[in-house]
Amino acid sequence: MLQDIQRAALDLVEEQGLEATTVGDIAARVGVSERTVFRYYPSKEHALMPGQQGLIDALVSSESAHHTPSGILEDLLAVCRELFSHEVEQRDFRRISRLLVQEPEMLRVVTRQERSLVEALSSALVHRGVLGTLQSLLIAEIVTACWRVAWQSFARYEVDGMDSDPVSLFDQTVRELGQLFPST
Amino acid sequence: MLQDIQRAALDLVEEQGLEATTVGDIAARVGVSERTVFRYYPSKEHALMPGQQGLIDALVSSESAHHTPSGILEDLLAVCRELFSHEVEQRDFRRISRLLVQEPEMLRVVTRQERSLVEALSSALVHRGVLGTLQSLLIAEIVTACWRVAWQSFARYEVDGMDSDPVSLFDQTVRELGQLFPST
DNA sequence: ATGAATCATGTCATGGCCTGACATCATTTG
DNA sequence: CAAATGATGTCAGGCCATGACATGATTCAT
């Protein structure tokens, strides 16, 4: 049912656009009542976007042998890289990616939901006891930003019909990030 | 009127919390109709948060003598640093800062609005012709993240009743950021 | 000063999102 | 078989947001 609703939601947004798609439409498409949609998803946004719980879990539960901010960041980005390559295989990841570009509002939905990621990750980092609050917050923001930028780049390629290797796209993002801070 | 509404909105959120404060409450407090509130602000969120148009304008219109990604980032962060110190002088900046910590949902409001900043800045950077799309996007995300982290840190100090120098807080954020990418 | 145009505001209606309360039906379980 | 459980529908209501239109004030040209 969860998937039925999400599929219907994505179908409808592709057909009619985001703004024109109401929860009632989605419910009707699935053949359930509007109320039922809200039983499965806390909001219309969540029905459209599966959320990043997998990413959150992976990052929060990841271990790091390093004890420096830069080492920890590196490990977290490695986790992202790994997960990103798997995500692409998910059935609806590409559809959502295309919507990210075609419906600007979708990116806001994503960004809003990613707050949970930043909050969970930063507090998990603080909890490890190695990093300060500011460092943890900063790292969580950077990791999230990387994920979003890589994803958005991937999405652009998808829409343009170009084939792209998600992993190398992620690597490129991280590489560009590193180049922003030259070794002086 | 713009300020009247915002003040009333902030007053009410401080008194009753964010969730309990309706647009009707705000309108009643100011003595206008609900409809009028929406004439001045496109949404309840905007009434609470003045938006970052000043920051957007400053960043987008800033000039940079540098032609490397790292140089441009450095200049953009300098603009932020400058603006940040001014923002703190604004009458309601501290109030909003406190709400950022006390009402978690407020941070989501901010984050959502900051999408405009990322979009405007990244497309402005692309337009300068020096940076690629991915680089521009990445820089815009980093700049925004820095602003948010510095602001959030400032807000935490505010709530804890500690005095803090916003500029040195911003500097610290940038410094920590740099340390995430060790010169190898 | 007058009449028209403009502007700010209010009122009303509507639609979409979301939640709580309760009824209903099917499934499971003892 | 009967009770408990769970999934779903129905209904009511509140809040956010927008469009259409009326009204009163202000401005401005004559």
Side-chain angles (χ1 to χ4, degrees):
Chain A
M1 175 61 72
L2 268 167
Q3 267 204 341
D4 291 332
I5 294 175
Q6 194 194 336
R7 294 263 159 78
L10 293 177
D11 287 346
L12 284 164
V13 170
E14 282 173 358
E15 292 169 17
Q16 331 172 331
L18 180 60
E19 196 191 7
T21 302
T22 73
V23 178
D25 293 340
I26 299 168
R29 176 69 62 103
V30 184
V32 297
S33 76
E34 194 174 319
R35 192 67 183 84
T36 296
V37 172
F38 285 113
R39 284 207 176 86
Y40 284 94
Y41 292 101
S43 75
K44 179 184 167 184
E45 299 183 352
H46 284 82
L48 254 48
M49 286 288 316
Q52 311 283 9
Q53 198 53 50
L55 179 59
I56 294 178
D57 294 343
L59 286 172
V60 166
S61 66
S62 73
E63 309 262 334
S64 176
H66 295 93
H67 293 279
T68 62
S70 60
I72 292 174
L73 173 61
E74 201 174 327
D75 289 340
L76 290 171
L77 288 176
V79 172
C80 278
R81 178 184 193 270
E82 178 69 17
L83 215 73
F84 192 70
S85 69
H86 291 331
E87 283 283 323
V88 173
E89 306 304 323
Q90 297 298 314
R91 192 156 150 56
D92 294 314
F93 188 81
R94 288 186 138 86
R95 298 182 68 187
I96 296 174
S97 300
R98 282 189 290 272
L99 287 180
L100 274 191
V101 176
Q102 284 154 2
E103 294 277 356
E105 195 59 24
M106 280 295 273
L107 191 56
R108 285 165 201 260
V109 172
V110 172
T111 307
R112 185 180 162 87
Q113 294 187 191
E114 281 171 348
R115 264 306 96 197
S116 312
L117 170 54
V118 173
E119 284 157 17
L121 180 53
S122 65
S123 66
L125 291 177
V126 168
H127 202 258
R128 289 187 194 173
V130 181
L131 304 171
T133 306
L134 199 157
Q135 288 174 323
S136 300
L137 194 51
L138 198 50
I139 288 178
E141 293 275 4
I142 299 292
V143 168
T144 307
C146 267
W147 177 275
R148 192 165 51 238
V149 169
W151 189 8
Q152 211 173 332
S153 302
F154 172 77
R156 245 191 271 268
Y157 278 107
E158 277 288 304
V159 169
D160 292 347
M162 290 187 267
D163 226 13
S164 63
D165 173 21
V167 171
S168 49
L169 213 53
F170 192 88
D171 288 340
Q172 188 189 348
T173 304
V174 174
R175 208 179 318 123
E176 303 274 15
L177 176 63
Q179 286 173 4
L180 292 179
F181 305 91
S183 26
T184 43
Chain B
M1 176 61 71
L2 268 168
Q3 267 204 341
D4 293 332
I5 293 175
Q6 195 195 335
R7 295 264 159 77
L10 293 176
D11 287 345
L12 284 165
V13 170
E14 281 173 359
E15 292 169 17
Q16 329 173 331
L18 180 59
E19 196 191 7
T21 302
T22 72
V23 179
D25 293 339
I26 299 168
R29 175 70 62 102
V30 184
V32 298
S33 76
E34 194 173 319
R35 191 71 184 82
T36 297
V37 172
F38 285 112
R39 283 205 176 88
Y40 283 94
Y41 291 101
S43 76
K44 180 184 168 184
E45 301 182 351
H46 284 82
L48 254 47
M49 287 285 319
Q52 311 283 10
Q53 198 55 49
L55 179 59
I56 293 177
D57 294 342
L59 287 172
V60 165
S61 66
S62 73
E63 309 263 334
S64 176
H66 296 93
H67 292 280
T68 63
S70 59
I72 292 173
L73 173 61
E74 202 174 327
D75 289 339
L76 290 171
L77 287 176
V79 172
C80 279
R81 178 183 191 270
E82 178 69 17
L83 215 72
F84 192 69
S85 68
H86 291 331
E87 283 284 322
V88 173
E89 305 305 323
Q90 298 297 314
R91 192 156 150 55
D92 294 314
F93 189 80
R94 288 184 138 86
R95 299 182 68 186
I96 297 174
S97 299
R98 281 189 290 271
L99 286 180
L100 273 191
V101 176
Q102 284 154 1
E103 294 277 357
E105 195 58 24
M106 281 294 274
L107 192 57
R108 285 166 202 259
V109 172
V110 172
T111 306
R112 185 180 165 87
Q113 293 186 194
E114 280 172 348
R115 264 305 95 194
S116 312
L117 170 54
V118 173
E119 284 157 16
L121 180 53
S122 66
S123 67
L125 291 177
V126 168
H127 203 258
R128 290 187 193 173
V130 181
L131 302 172
T133 306
L134 199 157
Q135 288 174 323
S136 301
L137 195 51
L138 198 50
I139 289 177
E141 292 275 5
I142 299 292
V143 168
T144 308
C146 268
W147 177 274
R148 192 164 52 238
V149 169
W151 190 7
Q152 211 173 331
S153 302
F154 171 78
R156 247 191 270 268
Y157 279 108
E158 277 288 303
V159 169
D160 292 347
M162 289 188 268
D163 226 16
S164 62
D165 174 22
V167 172
S168 51
L169 213 53
F170 193 88
D171 288 340
Q172 189 189 347
T173 304
V174 174
R175 208 179 318 121
E176 303 274 15
L177 177 62
Q179 286 173 3
L180 292 178
F181 305 90
S183 26
T184 45

